[in-house]
Amino acid sequence: MKKGNYFIILIIAMSIIACNKNDVASINSKSKDKGKSSTIKIADIDQEISYSFYIFQSRTDNYLEANDTSYNFNGSINHYNYAYFPTDAGTVIINQTTLSKAAALSSPGSYYSLSSSMSLNGAFFPVTTSGNQYVPAISDSVKSPVNFAYITSPSNGSVISDNNDLAIEWDLVNLSGMNVVIEIAAKINDTTKTNYAIYYTTDNGSYTLSSSFLQGFAKGMIEINLMRGYYTINPSSNGKYYGIAAYTQHTITCKLTD
Amino acid sequence: MKKFLVSLNFIIIIASISLMLIGANTCGGGDCDSDFHTVCIISWIPDNCCNQSCVTFEPCIIHYRRWSEGSPPNYLDVTNWLPGASSYCYQTYKREGQIEIILRKFCCDGRLYCYYWSDKIPKPRADCDDNSTQTIKAPLFCQHMGNIQCIY
């Protein structure tokens, strides 16, 4: 065969390989017009993130009405470490704890650790991945949240009228610089009303929902979720970004009425 | 004839290079805004969490809710999934960043009633060009509610 023909075959083979490979450039694309692409919810940011680390404490208080009786459940504080990658990332360590994989076959990139301790003193949590041919080694840290952020008002199980503004209050930490996210979500979807809202604010101890907002919100049981903490976002050695969030999260259930 | 073959080779080379350049930008990459990504949930009830009769007796009703950043709330009720026995999987947009999960379980043996829920867990995600399944593992917590009737 002539040299020219070998060259043609080589070009064709390269074309086929190019068509079969994944679109590695896609990670740099931003969401077109369908909302934010960020995966770190602790702040209002718009940055495509390929690798995510979450270190958080969570407490969910529930309120339930059944058989003409109401039940008020105060949950306990649970501690979670999660890390998510597109594929296996080798060994993942958060704050001296080696994370486990959620399931070896079905989720090669999901890591977790559930433990009962987490310092809330503003110290830094170290985060590392050993890396492999798919995910680069990462070594970074994030500042731990200061104190658990409890929603102090309203209390779990409160009946809230939409005739008045609603002040959501929490125990602030002065000059903490922590990010605060407040979510309101209806437990029963009402297609004629607003069913979900999210607000990003600072750690000033209070955020007020107007009565007009409440009047347009779905009635019945609603959840109020407050997250407070720090985050960091940086590029890894392959150019893809990773995000680390450390926060506390308190969720309560209330009843919104006309 | 030789000139014809040289010209033919030249055309094929140009066509191949064009194909390669086009392929590098469009082939197999997936669309972050439209492609789906599978997420599975595995959950379990911690030991000594609740009265054993609540855990073991069926039937149960499980309410699973999810919502996403893109179009919240996006609820999905699941009534046939038993935590711990197997995982429950669903498809969602890959681009969706974080998803939160609430699991509620009502078990009853005719005398006792328990209420189960999980904390909110960030949703696993993957690159736009990844098709693997990601799994969330979260414990359920429970509260014994006493001697009342079941609600179905």
Side-chain angles (χ1 to χ4, degrees), chain A residues 11 15 19 23 37 39 41 48-49 60 62 66 73 78 80 82 84-85 106-107 112 186 196 223 240, chain B residues 9 16 27 29 65 69 72 75 95 98 102 104 115 117 119 122 125 127 130 133-134 137 143 145 151:
Chain A
I11 292 294
S15 301
C19 277
D23 183 10
S37 57
T39 65
K41 203 173 184 177
E48 185 71 28
I49 296 172
T60 301
N62 276 292
F73 303 142
N78 305 293
Y80 301 90
Y82 287 93
Y84 298 130
F85 306 88
S106 64
S107 58
Y112 76 96
Y196 176 86
E223 284 184 338
K240 296 185 178 182
Chain B
N9 279 349
S16 299
C27 295
R65 298 172 58 221
E69 288 181 337
Y75 300 117
R95 179 169 285 283
Q98 188 169 345
I102 299 172
R104 305 179 196 286
Y115 180 60
W117 70 92
D119 283 322
R125 73 181 301 274
D127 282 353
D130 184 86
T133 297
Q134 299 284 86
K137 190 167 188 175
Q143 183 79 38
M145 294 174 62
I151 301 172

Side-chain angles (χ1 to χ4, degrees), chain A residues 218-254:
Chain A
K219 298 302 181 290
M221 296 297 181
I222 61 170
E223 284 184 338
I224 301 174
N225 184 41
L226 187 142
M227 304 162 68
R228 184 178 71 181
Y230 297 102
Y231 73 95
T232 185
I233 296 173
N234 289 304
S236 58
S237 60
N238 65 0
K240 296 185 178 182
Y241 281 79
Y242 62 87
I244 313 172
Y247 57 93
T248 67
Q249 174 176 257
H250 186 204
T251 305
I252 64 170
T253 303
C254 296

Side-chain angles (χ1 to χ4, degrees), chain B residues 85-101:
Chain B
S86 62
S87 63
Y88 171 74
C89 298
Y90 63 93
Q91 287 192 317
T92 183
Y93 286 111
K94 295 174 185 174
R95 179 169 285 283
E96 286 182 334
Q98 188 169 345
I99 200 164
E100 296 170 342
I101 294 169

Side-chain angles (χ1 to χ4, degrees), chain A residues 11 46 76 92 94-95 97 101 107-108 114 127 133 140 150 152 170 178 203 217:
Chain A
I11 292 294
D46 187 10
S76 56
V92 179
I94 293 179
N95 203 23
T97 299
K101 291 184 183 180
S107 58
L114 311 170
V127 172
Q133 65 268 44
D140 205 335
Y150 289 99
T152 55
W170 63 94
M178 285 187 283
D203 188 21
F217 204 83

